[in-house]
Amino acid sequence: EAVIEWSEVTEHGDVLCRAMLDHVWLDTGRILDLKIVRSAEHSACERAADSYGYPLQHAVYTAALEALRPEIVGRVEMDFAFCEPYAPYAVNVLPADGIFREIGRREWARSLNTWAGCVRRDQWPDYPRNQRLNLPVWRLRREGYAAGEEI
């Protein structure tokens, strides 16, 4: 593991950042991040990436390495190694596509500005109160309910 600390500039001031990379090759600008998953099948890896915020992680780790090694800006490569924890221990090593990376960069920029603004104002977002817990639309469809159907 490698820990990198750096500062990011935002519209609300500088933000101190820290990332802990599983595997990094400083000379080539390559990052490999290990993910233990129930299934390393491609669509399962995509669902895990979306559910657990891997686009944001990709952007953060890339920014960290580029801050440490400015001469490789724009050339950092990062792969996710999805590994099953049981025999035969299948592995699926996947790089991120362009849309994945762009969504991560946008999330990172929003996150930095939100954090810096909250620190500057000393005001932190809260969740709305008095809401009911609902199931996602995909689950309702799986159970045979139509959109907007009253139960």
Side-chain angles (χ1 to χ4, degrees):
E1 292 180 330
V3 177
I4 301 173
E5 287 188 358
W6 76 104
S7 257
E8 292 277 355
V9 178
T10 75
E11 60 192 52
H12 303 290
D14 290 357
V15 173
L16 181 61
C17 303
R18 186 172 192 252
M20 186 178 298
L21 291 65
D22 287 346
H23 301 279
V24 61
W25 290 265
L26 294 174
D27 55 335
T28 61
R30 186 156 204 80
I31 301 168
L32 180 66
D33 195 68
L34 178 64
K35 301 297 183 192
I36 304 301
V37 291
R38 196 177 311 184
S39 170
E41 190 271 324
H42 189 262
S43 64
C45 295
E46 288 179 333
R47 284 190 302 276
D50 182 48
S51 293
Y52 298 115
Y54 298 164
L56 176 60
Q57 180 188 6
H58 187 284
V60 172
Y61 284 14
T62 300
L65 191 50
E66 289 179 346
L68 182 67
R69 300 277 319 278
E71 68 276 13
I72 61 171
V73 168
R75 297 193 322 250
V76 172
E77 295 292 330
M78 180 173 172
D79 294 333
F80 292 94
F82 295 91
C83 304
E84 295 177 359
Y86 48 83
Y89 308 102
V91 176
N92 197 353
V93 179
L94 300 168
D97 72 7
I99 294 171
F100 186 105
R101 293 190 311 267
E102 179 59 26
I103 287 171
R105 283 190 290 268
R106 290 178 184 194
E107 285 180 320
W108 181 228
R110 281 193 308 268
S111 298
L112 284 168
N113 280 311
T114 298
W115 178 262
C118 289
V119 169
R120 193 181 88 211
R121 292 185 303 275
D122 194 27
Q123 292 180 330
W124 304 90
D126 195 6
Y127 294 103
R129 303 290 183 218
N130 302 319
Q131 292 184 319
R132 291 181 185 264
L133 184 60
N134 302 305
L135 290 173
V137 172
W138 62 263
R139 175 64 191 273
L140 297 176
R141 286 189 185 127
R142 189 176 79 191
E143 296 296 326
Y145 293 102
E149 179 181 346
E150 285 291 323
I151 300 174

